[in-house]
Amino acid sequence: MTRVLIPTGALGLVYDRAALARGVASGPDIIAVDGGSTDSGPAYLGRGVSKYSRATTKAEWRDLMLARAEAGVQLVIGTAGTCGADSVVDWLYEITCELARELGQKVRVTRLYSGQNPQKIAEDFAAGRISGLPAAPGIDTDTIRACTNIVALAGVEQVQAALATGADIVIAGRTTDTAIIAALPLAQGCHPGGAWHGAKIGECGALATTNPASGTIQIDFDETGFTVEPLGAIARATPYTVSAHMLYENSDPFLLHEPGGILDVTGARYEALDGRRVRVEGSVWRPGPYTVKLEGARIAGYQTVSLTLLRDRRYVAEARAWTEQVAARARADVAARMGLGDTDYTIELRLIGVDATLGRMETGGALPSEIGVLAIATAPTEAQAGEIGKILNPYLLHHALTEEEPMPTFAFPFSPAEMNRGALYEFCLHHVLTLDAPMDAFRLVTDEVGHG
């Protein structure tokens, strides 16, 4: 039996310290935690930075390092620093070194790097080693070379290689969410289908329980399946909460694609052992060609944003027409004064409080008492985006619906009204790379840090 303690769905999200203490007291074989995802968009990968605060990350990582030392087991984090780029692996390594010194710990730390050289990936593409997943964007070698960061998603083989270094702590770059949980149970001979399925259920901590915010769960893997047990005081796992998790971040409730194969849970059986624990058996692992998913981000332009508030009843009622007039006048000015064509840039005016989230898909009817108008200017350079933002400024502040009426004044909540957002990034890879051997696209570095 292999017991995996999962403190939280992602480092930085906050978790229940009392539940973690109960998990440590239960004698885990490893502590595994995820560090991020693509949920918050491409900017973090494009820039190679974490979306979570350093202070929060350090505080939570500190407690996990203490828990590791008390339990006397390995601690592994996957997709460190939100996106798993090499720069954020090093960022968390620096935090680890600081904490080791502060806690008086001497620890062996292995870094598993997932970053890829764009030139090498472009050569792999030209050699036919890269293929698109469903709905993947069209790419060429120039697209790949333009990426500021490319990562490959490590599977269990790479995590097992990192654990095999004897590290106390493994800081992994981009991994699949399941790999860090399934790696040790598979290495110790647990049921392959059960190991992958349990890892999927545990990927987000207590999300597959009745109290997701409690964060901490443990999963026992063995020769026939796995048992899920939440560690929060009032959290419960039920056959419903556990089985439903196959649909989380996965469009198929029965199949899950991973490096080197597919998890098939069509025949899985979910049994409530008591009011808190669920037993699962019957899952199947189907081996296949060894590929790893690639994620890449590149700069798609630069943005300046501005926000104005409409509260006058007539302007609220005519907000759509007002924004269309503002955009038209600004576009005319951009063409005349900056010489940019319509396809060189974009201006968006989103009505916050009306349909800013869904656009034309919005079904709501009643108008609010005020509307926020978010103006977004996107252009090839930061200077051009800033210029367009300033061209929009007087219209956003004073544009009247008709020529024969007093000039209105609307409300800017900020001064200056224009905010440069810097580079705008986009994901441009949704592809897989075929490898001859799992470590071909990854590398390991091991160091001893701190004081003991």
Side-chain angles (χ1 to χ4, degrees):
M1 191 268 282
T2 302
R3 173 166 290 174
V4 181
L5 174 59
I6 303 150
T8 177
L11 189 74
L13 284 180
V14 181
Y15 56 89
D16 183 341
R17 265 43 173 202
L20 175 66
R22 283 191 283 276
V24 171
S26 294
D29 295 295
I30 191 171
I31 301 174
V33 63
D34 184 32
S37 72
T38 60
D39 291 355
S40 297
Y44 302 100
L45 176 61
R47 297 170 59 199
V49 299
S50 171
K51 78 169 185 175
Y52 295 118
S53 89
R54 192 182 194 279
T56 299
T57 299
K58 184 175 179 179
E60 296 193 358
W61 192 235
R62 177 184 188 278
D63 286 354
L64 294 188
M65 287 179 63
L66 289 170
R68 182 214 66 79
E70 182 179 350
V73 298
Q74 293 180 298
L75 167 65
V76 56
I77 182 169
T79 311
T82 309
C83 62
D86 290 355
S87 55
V88 284
V89 170
D90 291 336
W91 175 76
L92 187 57
Y93 175 71
E94 292 173 3
I95 293 174
T96 304
C97 294
E98 287 179 15
L99 286 169
R101 289 192 295 272
E102 293 170 12
L103 297 172
Q105 294 185 358
K106 184 174 183 179
V107 288
R108 187 175 174 86
V109 181
T110 289
R111 285 168 279 173
L112 169 59
Y113 290 102
S114 302
Q116 307 298 309
N117 183 317
Q119 178 60 35
K120 173 64 169 58
I121 294 298
E123 292 169 3
D124 287 333
F125 176 75
R129 299 177 68 84
I130 292 175
S131 55
L133 292 166
I139 60 171
D140 54 27
T141 53
D142 290 339
T143 303
I144 296 170
R145 292 191 187 95
C147 288
T148 55
N149 274 305
I150 299 174
V151 290
L153 276 66
V156 296
E157 293 81 1
Q158 297 84 0
V159 177
Q160 288 170 346
L163 295 174
T165 63
D168 301 300
I169 297 172
V170 171
I171 301 173
R174 192 71 171 112
T175 66
T176 70
D177 291 350
T178 52
I180 56 171
I181 301 172
L184 186 63
L186 286 169
Q188 295 186 341
C190 295
H191 188 273
W196 280 108
H197 192 182
K200 170 61 182 173
I201 300 307
E203 63 174 345
C204 286
L207 194 60
T209 75
T210 60
N211 187 359
S214 58
T216 308
I217 64 170
Q218 68 182 20
I219 302 181
D220 292 341
F221 298 89
D222 54 40
E223 294 78 5
T224 57
F226 67 94
T227 300
V228 184
E229 181 175 0
L231 299 174
I234 61 171
R236 294 180 297 114
T238 71
Y240 171 77
T241 63
V242 173
S243 61
H245 195 74
M246 274 298 292
L247 271 172
Y248 179 71
E249 296 180 339
N250 187 36
S251 59
D252 193 313
F254 301 113
L255 302 177
L256 180 70
H257 294 262
E258 290 284 341
I262 299 173
L263 168 66
D264 184 347
V265 305
T266 306
R269 301 177 298 280
Y270 302 82
E271 177 188 2
L273 297 181
D274 50 37
R276 303 179 64 252
R277 299 179 301 155
V278 169
R279 175 72 183 172
V280 183
E281 296 185 0
S283 315
V284 176
W285 173 251
R286 304 189 189 286
Y290 202 86
T291 60
V292 292
K293 184 187 175 189
L294 296 173
E295 293 173 353
R298 66 173 179 171
I299 293 176
Y302 292 81
Q303 277 189 341
T304 293
V305 298
S306 188
L307 178 66
T308 193
L309 303 176
L310 306 182
R311 193 169 176 85
D312 178 274
R313 184 176 302 176
R314 189 165 72 90
Y315 280 84
V316 167
E318 299 294 332
R320 181 61 64 200
W322 184 83
T323 57
E324 289 173 354
Q325 290 179 17
V326 167
R329 295 193 66 171
R331 289 191 180 101
D333 290 349
V334 170
R337 301 166 188 171
M338 297 178 64
L340 293 178
D342 288 343
T343 59
D344 295 330
Y345 69 96
T346 61
I347 292 175
E348 298 177 71
L349 295 172
R350 299 185 185 178
L351 299 183
I352 297 175
V354 179
D355 60 0
T357 303
L358 297 177
R360 296 185 183 278
M361 295 174 62
E362 177 59 58
T363 58
L367 285 176
S369 59
E370 65 179 17
I371 295 174
V373 180
L374 178 65
I376 306 171
T378 306
T381 72
E382 188 163 20
Q384 290 170 328
E387 277 289 288
I388 296 170
K390 290 180 181 294
I391 285 174
L392 279 163
N393 181 303
Y395 299 121
L396 293 174
L397 186 60
H398 291 307
H399 177 70
L401 277 166
T402 64
E403 294 182 353
E404 297 183 352
E405 67 181 66
M407 178 181 288
T409 297
F410 306 108
F412 281 145
F414 306 108
S415 179
E418 303 78 36
M419 295 164 279
N420 292 328
R421 294 190 61 242
L424 170 71
Y425 291 88
E426 66 178 2
F427 286 122
C428 54
L429 289 177
H430 184 59
H431 297 69
V432 292
L433 168 66
T434 300
L435 297 179
D436 294 328
M439 288 304 295
D440 282 356
F442 302 87
R443 62 190 176 95
L444 299 172
V445 176
T446 300
D447 295 285
E448 288 195 356
V449 305
H451 304 284

